[in-house]
Every structure is written in C-alpha cells, then in structure tokens.
C-alpha cells in the first residue's frame, strides 16, 4: 500500500466520497453532517491523500485542512472490504506527519457519535475528546477530538 497526495477529482475517489456521503446521510440529519465537497477539497490549504494497493485500487482517503493554528481532519474513509487492515491508521499517520511537517501543532476533528469504529481508531491514534472548535456548535450527535503533534 502507498499513500500519496492526489486530486479528489478522479472517478474512483469521487465514488468513495459518494459512498461516504450516503453512509453519513443514513446516520445523521443534514444539519449534523459537516462534509466538504470535491471542489472544497481542491482548495488551497487542503491536503488530500489516497491510499492505494499495489494494483492502484483506492483503499481509502483522508484529508486535513490547514486552519492556521491547527489542522482539521476531514473525509476519512476506508472501503468496507479493506477495513481492519490498518489503512485508516496509516492514513491518519500520514496526515499527522504532513501536518507536523507543515508546522501545525495539533490536529482536530469532528466525528459522529454513531461511528464507534472511527472513534476507536481516533482514540487509538492518540486523539482525545475536547470542546467544539472553529465554527462548530455543540451537537448531541457530534463529538470533537484533538491530538497534539
């Protein structure tokens, strides 16, 4: 597996993001979904990563947005067939490595409460729960996490 910066404007990546959007839509009402669309993922200050296998198949993706004083983790997704194989952890590790290299002191994220596997991944990676940050408001369906780099 290799992880590299790629554009999200690729058919296989767009398909992954659409599956992620459908998953979130089934779990949460629209006001509790804080998704970035493809155009937003292509803006300055966003580092979008794709994990691929040796044959070039997309296994998962993730991004961080440079918010000035911290990086915000966005669009973490691993294809269901590839879960439990360390893809998510490796994506998070690469996000952290790149954010630290960019001089950011911390990563922050918002996650839905109905995603225990994702929450477990973040906690294993060293994220701890915190108060809402940035423009987020308290939401009973969201939790907020931070990891110092």
């Amino acid at each position: 597996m290799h992880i590299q910066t790629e554009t999200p404007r690729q058919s296989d990546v767009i398909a992954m993001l659409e599956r992620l959007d459908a998953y979130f839509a089934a779990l949460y009402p629209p006001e509790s979904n804080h998704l970035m669309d493809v155009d937003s993922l292509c803006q300055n200050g966003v580092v979008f990563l794709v994990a691929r296998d040796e044959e070039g198949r997309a296994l998962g993706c993730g991004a961080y947005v440079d918010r000035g004083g911290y990086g915000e983790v966005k669009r973490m997704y691993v294809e269901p067939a590839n879960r439990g194989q360390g893809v998510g952890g490796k994506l998070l590790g690469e996000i952290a490595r790149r954010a630290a290299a960019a001089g950011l002191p911390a990563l922050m994220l918002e996650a839905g409460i109905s995603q225990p596997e994702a929450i477990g991944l973040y906690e294993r990676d060293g994220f701890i729960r915190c108060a809402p940050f940035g423009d987020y408001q308290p939401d009973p369906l969201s939790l907020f996490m931070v990891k110092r780099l």
Side-chain angles (χ1 to χ4, degrees), residues 87-110:
V87 177
K90 289 178 182 166
L91 277 164
L92 271 180
E94 186 64 13
I95 287 170
R97 186 187 73 72
R98 289 174 184 240
L104 296 173
L107 287 173
M108 302 187 85
L109 61 84
E110 177 273 337

Side-chain angles (χ1 to χ4, degrees), residues 3 20 35 42 55 59 65-66 75 84 92 136:
I3 298 171
L20 179 57
L35 307 175
C42 293
E55 287 79 40
L59 307 174
V65 181
D66 186 335
R75 301 307 255 165
L92 271 180
Y136 291 105

Side-chain angles (χ1 to χ4, degrees), residues 29-44:
E31 63 273 12
S32 293
N33 276 323
H34 308 284
L35 307 175
M36 291 181 73
D37 62 20
V38 171
D39 288 339
S40 297
L41 291 169
C42 293
Q43 293 179 357
N44 289 335

Side-chain angles (χ1 to χ4, degrees), residues 96-133:
R97 186 187 73 72
R98 289 174 184 240
L104 296 173
L107 287 173
M108 302 187 85
L109 61 84
E110 177 273 337
I113 62 169
S114 298
Q115 298 166 259
E117 296 85 2
I119 294 165
L121 170 67
Y122 301 139
E123 289 174 337
R124 285 189 304 277
D125 196 64
F127 283 84
I128 59 171
R129 295 176 191 211
C130 66
F133 59 91

